[in-house]
Structure formats: C-alpha cells, structure tokens
Amino acid sequence: MQLVPDIEFKITYTRSPDGDGVGNSYIEDNDDDSKMADLLSYFQQQLTFQESVLKLCQPELESSQTHISVLPMEVLMYIFRWVVSSDLDLRSLEQLSLVCRGFYICARDPEIWRLACLKVWGRSCIKLVPYSSWREMFLERPRVRFDGVYISKTTYIRQGEQSLDGFYRAWHQVEYYRYIRFFPDGHVMMLTTPEEPQSIVPRLRTRNTRTDAILLGHYRLSQDTDNQTKVFAVITKKKEEKPLDYKYRYFRRVPVQEADHSFHVGLQLCSSGHQRFNKLIWIHHSCHITYKSTGETAVSAFEIDKMYTPLFFARVRSYTAFSERPL
C-alpha cells in the first residue's frame, strides 16, 4: 500500500460507490458538481443525504450487540488515536480508512495529522505553508521512518598473517552490519555487529534491549540552504552499574582517568526507488572523549570512505503490532 497525499483529487465519482442510487438525484440535478474532485466532501455529503442524524457507518446485518456507529464522535476519534499510537503508525490509519466512508472521514481528521506533524518536527511545523493540509505535510516533508530499522552491510577483505613456513598468506572476508532505529520522541539506537538481521531486528523493538553493544542517544532533523534534509545524532554507550569488588579492596590500585565517550553522527536523508525517505548516507562520524578530571574534550573524526555504506530502510511489522499509548 502506498500513501498518496492528494488522493482525493485523483478520484472522481459520477455515481454512488456502492451502487445503491443514493445521491444520484442530487448529482444529476447539479451538472457543475457531477465530477467531484474532493472525495472527502463527497463522502460527507453522502452521509448527510442518507440520514437526518449524521452517522459515520451502519451495520450491514442486524445484530443485538451494540454497533460501533452508536459511539459518540469523541470516542471514535480517541480510538483512532490509539490506532495511530505514540509510534505514529499512520499506515494503520490509512488501512482503517478503507473500511467505510465514515472511517475515511475520521482518518482525514486534521487534528490527528497535526499532532503527528508536531511530534515529528516540533515547533518548526507551526506554519502549514507551503502544504495544503497536515496530511500532505506528513507524507511529503522529509522525515525518518519509525516503523522499521535502517540497515547497512559492509564487506571487505583483510590480509591475514603469513604461515610459519612462509609459503602462503591467509586472506579473511569480514562482514558486519550497522543498525539504526529512530523513535518519534527523538531517541535513537545504533548497533554495529556481525550478527544478521534475523536475530538482531527483534531486539530493537524497544529501547530497553539487553544488547550490551547498543548505543543510545538523541537525534534531530536539519534542513540546510541546499534543501537537503540531514539527521544529526549524539549517541553514547548504555551505562551499566558496576558491582563493588570487595575481593581486592585492601590493595592499592593505580588511578585510572575517567572519561565519557560519545559518538557524533551525521547522515543525509534521501529516497531511492519507489520508497520515500528510505536511505541514509554518511556525511560525518566522530568520537568525543571528555575527561572528567580536567573537563577537556578530545575529538577524533573518522574518514568517511567505502567502509561507510548507505543504510536502507526495512519495515518491521512487529514494531507497530501493539499500541502502548495513544497519539
């Protein structure tokens, strides 16, 4: 399924979609409105013509149980916010809009899409211009994706040690993966490991993973004058509480200078193929070491070469299978 921001302006109806004749007289009496470009307005008019009291949907079969159409509009919109959830699963919202015309109207509620935009861009999206709607902004404006993980695979050949007899020298093929997972609240996880995605991706569902080599931090989106969206992140190793060692407490140890390590990452967000915002290109990677005793910071920048392969997005269904909090 592909999310299209202006789908309402690409579909034209000259009759009722369900073929029951509802609303045909109105369309025939108004030649100017025979080709309606706005699908949302069309559905709203159809619901208004059918009932004196506006109902979003009606049960197809008679049932003694309470139908969802009986619920107030406020309760229905709260359910829709649970569908989107705090993980910004707008894909599920689009699928829910396919149920009926009433659900389509609820799924196009501007407040839901406005809250989603505020959660992604914060104060920088207060103005709607140049977009015509909040939904169009969310679908068109460059952003990182949350319903999966960005993965890259790096392979290179390393020369081994020479044999004892000197007749041959071994060569090793080294492969490892980089994983980056973004969250709507500004957190990010990064992991470099030789393990394949089948075993690593399920562990990255939440930030409370027990993987030791995981790096945690925060990220932000930045759009420079060159009209290219970049992602900047500062990540550190997960802090672990060291247990007290009483075995050697009477021995004098050589004092070790304590330091905090952090990694600064810069990535360029772009699209490739038919998918949008599914590629991250490395532009910066450095290590910052801050010594606690002196407060000095030493910066070591890594050279961005062929070892830094682009990261491509892979959607993971299990990441959005459950809703913990509403939007």
Side-chain angles (χ1 to χ4, degrees), residues 13 44 49 58 71 92 101 107 122 172 174 196 250 268 297 308 320:
Y13 282 105
Q44 291 175 340
F49 296 147
Q58 294 181 352
L71 297 177
S92 297
R101 288 175 290 186
H172 305 280
V174 181
E196 296 184 353
Y250 298 109
Q268 179 180 337
T297 302
Y308 288 85
T320 55

Side-chain angles (χ1 to χ4, degrees), residues 144 146 179-191 204 206-209 213-220 231-239 261-265:
V144 293
F146 312 115
Y179 304 88
I180 298 181
R181 171 88 198 277
F182 296 97
F183 295 90
D185 57 359
H187 286 83
V188 61
M189 294 193 307
M190 179 177 172
L191 177 64
L204 303 180
T206 62
R207 297 194 298 270
N208 299 326
T209 179
I214 198 77
L215 299 176
L216 304 175
H218 295 80
Y219 74 93
R220 63 178 179 88
V231 184
F232 297 99
V234 178
I235 52 180
T236 58
K237 190 175 181 180
K238 184 170 57 174
K239 296 182 179 180
H261 296 72
S262 63
F263 297 91
H264 292 230
V265 175

Side-chain angles (χ1 to χ4, degrees), residues 186-206:
H187 286 83
V188 61
M189 294 193 307
M190 179 177 172
L191 177 64
T192 303
T193 176
E195 297 187 48
E196 296 184 353
Q198 289 80 358
S199 60
I200 292 298
V201 168
R203 306 181 197 174
L204 303 180
R205 187 180 183 277
T206 62

Side-chain angles (χ1 to χ4, degrees), residues 87-89 91 143-151 179-184 188-189 201 204-206 277 280 312-320:
D87 296 326
L88 296 187
D89 185 15
R91 183 186 181 91
R143 55 177 172 80
V144 293
R145 299 182 59 177
F146 312 115
D147 56 344
V149 58
Y150 290 86
I151 306 175
Y179 304 88
I180 298 181
R181 171 88 198 277
F182 296 97
F183 295 90
V188 61
M189 294 193 307
V201 168
L204 303 180
R205 187 180 183 277
T206 62
F277 323 131
L280 294 174
F312 291 91
F313 181 80
R315 180 171 170 260
V316 184
R317 295 182 179 180
S318 61
Y319 288 176
T320 55

Side-chain angles (χ1 to χ4, degrees), residues 10-30:
K10 296 184 179 180
I11 298 180
T12 303
Y13 282 105
T14 57
R15 59 182 178 86
S16 178
D18 52 8
D20 55 3
V22 177
N24 286 351
S25 58
Y26 173 81
I27 297 179
E28 293 174 356
D29 295 338
N30 297 272

Side-chain angles (χ1 to χ4, degrees), residues 260-312:
D260 292 332
H261 296 72
S262 63
F263 297 91
H264 292 230
V265 175
L267 302 162
Q268 179 180 337
L269 179 64
C270 53
S271 304
S272 64
H274 298 287
Q275 297 186 9
R276 312 200 64 181
F277 323 131
N278 66 327
K279 185 178 180 181
L280 294 174
I281 301 177
W282 289 88
I283 58 177
H284 176 74
H285 190 199
S286 62
C287 177
H288 293 232
I289 304 176
T290 303
Y291 299 98
K292 295 182 178 180
S293 59
T294 60
E296 298 179 354
T297 302
V299 180
S300 300
F302 303 104
E303 182 180 359
I304 304 299
D305 53 9
K306 61 181 180 180
M307 304 298 293
Y308 288 85
T309 56
L311 297 101
F312 291 91

